[in-house]
Amino acid sequence: MNRARCLILAITILLIGTPTISASPVGQATTWSDFSFIRDISASMTHVYFATTNGITVYNKATRTWESPLTGTEGIDHQDIQRVWSDRFGEKIYAQTSNDLYEYAPLFERWYPITSLPEVDNDNQYIAPPEMLVAPFGFSYGEPGVLYGEYHRTYNFNVVMDDGSGDIWVGTWGHGAGRYAPPTNVMEMLPFGLLQERVNAVWEEGDMLWVSGAGFNSLRTGITGFNRADTSFTYIESGVIAGFPEVDVNCLAGDDDYLYIGTPSGLYVMHRNSQMVEYQVTGRSGLIDDNIISLARNGDSLFVGTEEGLTILAPENDSLNYIFPSALVGLRIWDIHLYDSTIWIATEQGVFRYFCADGRLQRFRDPKMVLTSDVYGLDVYDSTLWGISDDGALQLDLITGEATAHRLRIEQVWPNALAVNDSIAAIGGTQGLLFVFHTADPVFTRRFDTYDGLPSETIFTLRFEGDYLWIGSDQGLTRFWWNNPRRVD
């Protein structure tokens, strides 16, 4: 046999014996969602794995911190994981969906189907809920396996597991993970993930991302604080805090003292330290409309975009002055973006520019006829304004006035998310994520969907952070490695 045949045979044998590499590059996407409904628990000597209705979460026993969830892994339906198993040393992880068994390959971040479950070596034992338990602050423990929260909410223990280390791990149905240790049985909740799946709005403050959206059928709703530095979570629950009812959140803004919450029933102004709603602003208070869909803070003024126009809340002596630019009355205000001392406003009849110094309002005349009707999103990067509409995207140099039209086949019922950096413009809607590589020659585009690690193709908000793009969808908040060197565009 000659050398060429030997080489071909060796490569063939290697390929047959090696799992197929993941379709998307390793590490491209990780999603944080509502992980409060737990179906199963397994533990190794170092980690605890919780199978939730939105994927497997990973808790580090030694550091007592959460690690990144396994939601960016391919080959499995994350919302259908019913069981999880880990061996003693965490070298093997298995999962079961409603119909199939899988083994996890960490090197490829991918699950592979298996025909039967091998024998798993660990000390895990399911146990019954304790008769007596010291409940966490804000809860009470009644009958075995039931936590009682505020407003008569109940959270059942869905699974209780003893891993032989001294800690007992609890998976509740509706309030996430917890643990306690005999004989004191003092329970500690381990908060992780978002209050609700859908992410309409993200407001950034240092290491913290404040995240919220529509509640739909979520058991808990409100605003999630996600600290990216230590992967910790804090919650401002609606329906629990006085003055903050269970209401969908469309948009967020903030400053050093307050968090401004835009909802279909008006504006809620929450004090940052106390997390108490100090007042609500509605049409009866002076807003032009109750349904708030965009917000922007500039100095002491708050720009409130609604279904029926723009209201500017500006302090005057000891009260608020309500300003209603007449040209915008009756127009839906899709987005508001601040650049220098100018406010750019995206409406259903094109783009307007508001000059804060003298209160002038100017309509932007688009020479390329792209931003003439509904303009769904705006963003500015390095003195370049971008806007998106049903006709594509417009790139406008704010210094030279040069405009470039990108006639895109967006193919989205409602393109409603835009973020731009020095290399790409990211556009999100109901058909996934579209990248416009605007510095390439020639300019080209690429679309991403669930095949590329996204949990959903319905996207509501986008935000760049270095090599990553934060994506808010109806299935959670995804960190997407847009600058992944392993990906070929």
Side-chain angles (χ1 to χ4, degrees):
M1 185 179 295
N2 60 36
R3 182 176 298 177
R5 285 190 173 183
C6 290
L7 179 60
I8 293 172
L9 178 61
I11 292 174
T12 303
I13 293 172
L14 179 63
L15 290 176
I16 292 173
T18 303
T20 304
I21 296 177
S22 167
S24 62
V26 173
Q28 180 158 282
T30 302
T31 296
W32 287 263
S33 190
D34 178 3
F35 299 127
S36 60
F37 296 88
I38 297 176
R39 294 183 175 126
D40 194 26
I41 306 173
S42 186
S44 67
M45 293 178 64
T46 58
H47 293 82
V48 186
Y49 301 90
F50 296 88
T52 80
T53 53
N54 279 305
I56 295 174
T57 59
V58 184
Y59 186 80
N60 189 309
K61 292 183 182 180
T63 61
R64 300 204 168 216
T65 58
W66 289 97
E67 297 183 357
S68 294
L70 301 183
T71 51
T73 56
E74 295 189 351
I76 197 169
D77 182 353
H78 293 281
Q79 294 181 328
D80 189 34
I81 297 176
Q82 307 293 323
R83 297 287 307 278
V84 63
W85 296 269
S86 170
D87 69 0
R88 186 180 304 275
F89 300 103
E91 296 174 345
K92 298 289 186 180
I93 301 174
Y94 306 96
Q96 182 180 36
T97 62
S98 298
N99 299 309
D100 299 294
L101 286 165
Y102 297 86
E103 180 178 353
Y104 181 55
L107 179 62
F108 301 110
E109 294 189 356
R110 183 175 179 86
W111 297 87
Y112 293 93
I114 55 178
T115 56
S116 61
L117 180 69
E119 183 176 348
V120 180
D121 175 33
N122 61 38
D123 294 325
N124 297 345
Q125 290 185 342
Y126 295 118
I127 63 174
E131 293 290 331
M132 301 294 294
L133 185 77
V134 180
F137 177 78
F139 296 88
S140 61
Y141 190 71
E143 58 186 287
V146 180
L147 279 179
Y148 295 95
E150 295 177 293
Y151 289 84
H152 306 289
R153 294 178 178 176
T154 60
Y155 306 98
N156 294 320
F157 287 19
N158 200 44
V159 56
V160 183
M161 193 270 292
D162 183 354
D163 66 356
S165 68
D167 279 323
I168 308 297
W169 305 96
V170 177
T172 72
W173 195 251
H175 215 288
R179 70 171 172 216
Y180 66 91
T184 59
N185 284 8
V186 177
M187 185 174 181
E188 174 191 8
M189 300 305 297
L190 305 174
F192 186 69
L194 309 182
L195 281 173
Q196 64 240 352
E197 293 179 355
R198 176 163 164 165
V199 176
N200 288 355
V202 177
W203 180 64
E204 182 178 7
E205 179 206 20
D207 290 328
M208 189 74 78
L209 292 179
W210 294 99
V211 182
S212 194
F216 289 112
N217 296 320
S218 300
L219 184 60
R220 301 164 67 203
T221 58
I223 301 171
T224 301
F226 177 18
N227 190 318
R228 294 162 291 174
D230 59 8
T231 319
S232 63
F233 290 81
T234 58
Y235 304 115
I236 305 173
E237 285 197 56
S238 56
V240 174
I241 296 174
F244 188 29
E246 295 183 59
V247 62
D248 293 344
V249 174
N250 296 330
C251 47
L252 292 169
D255 54 32
D256 292 339
D257 298 318
Y258 292 97
L259 190 63
Y260 303 96
I261 307 165
T263 78
S265 57
L267 176 72
Y268 293 86
V269 180
M270 178 179 291
H271 195 273
R272 296 283 306 283
N273 292 333
S274 66
Q275 294 187 353
M276 299 297 293
V277 172
E278 292 200 353
Y279 52 93
Q280 180 187 6
V281 184
T282 65
R284 304 181 77 175
S285 311
L287 286 184
I288 198 167
D289 181 54
D290 283 352
N291 190 13
I292 300 171
I293 53 180
S294 55
L295 285 169
R297 181 75 169 164
N298 180 37
D300 292 334
S301 298
L302 183 68
F303 290 74
V304 183
T306 74
E307 288 270 6
E308 297 294 334
L310 178 72
T311 303
I312 304 173
L313 306 181
E316 184 176 3
N317 298 325
D318 293 329
S319 61
L320 279 177
N321 185 26
Y322 293 80
I323 302 170
F324 311 98
S326 59
L328 302 179
V329 172
L331 299 186
R332 184 180 289 110
I333 310 298
W334 288 115
D335 197 12
I336 307 171
H337 199 90
L338 170 67
Y339 177 72
D340 284 343
S341 60
T342 303
I343 305 295
W344 291 86
I345 306 165
T347 79
E348 61 179 305
Q349 291 185 11
V351 176
F352 292 78
R353 181 166 53 172
Y354 181 84
F355 296 88
C356 299
D358 55 14
R360 286 186 298 119
L361 187 70
Q362 180 184 71
R363 181 190 289 269
F364 169 62
R365 305 293 181 182
D366 180 7
K368 303 296 184 179
M369 301 299 289
V370 175
L371 307 182
T372 56
S373 55
D374 277 301
V375 179
Y376 302 108
L378 297 171
D379 198 13
V380 176
Y381 182 84
D382 193 23
S383 74
T384 300
L385 174 74
W386 282 74
I388 53 173
S389 72
D390 292 320
D391 296 318
L394 184 78
Q395 180 181 355
L396 175 69
D397 190 314
L398 294 175
I399 297 177
T400 66
E402 181 182 358
T404 303
H406 300 277
R407 304 290 178 177
L408 306 173
R409 292 183 63 236
I410 297 178
E411 296 178 348
Q412 296 168 328
V413 176
W414 191 329
N416 52 6
L418 171 68
V420 182
N421 67 8
D422 60 348
S423 300
I424 61 176
I427 302 171
T430 56
Q431 294 295 319
L433 180 66
L434 181 70
F435 279 2
V436 180
F437 293 84
H438 59 80
T439 59
D441 187 15
V443 174
F444 68 96
T445 64
R446 174 170 175 178
R447 186 176 301 282
F448 299 87
D449 52 28
T450 53
Y451 187 74
D452 302 286
L454 300 183
S456 170
E457 296 175 8
T458 301
I459 297 171
F460 299 106
T461 186
L462 297 168
R463 179 181 296 272
F464 277 109
E465 182 190 13
D467 290 336
Y468 294 95
L469 175 68
W470 290 96
I471 303 171
S473 73
D474 60 350
Q475 294 296 321
L477 181 68
T478 301
R479 186 186 64 193
F480 188 82
W481 192 3
W482 73 266
N483 201 24
N484 192 335
R486 301 185 184 97
R487 192 182 68 241
V488 177
D489 290 314

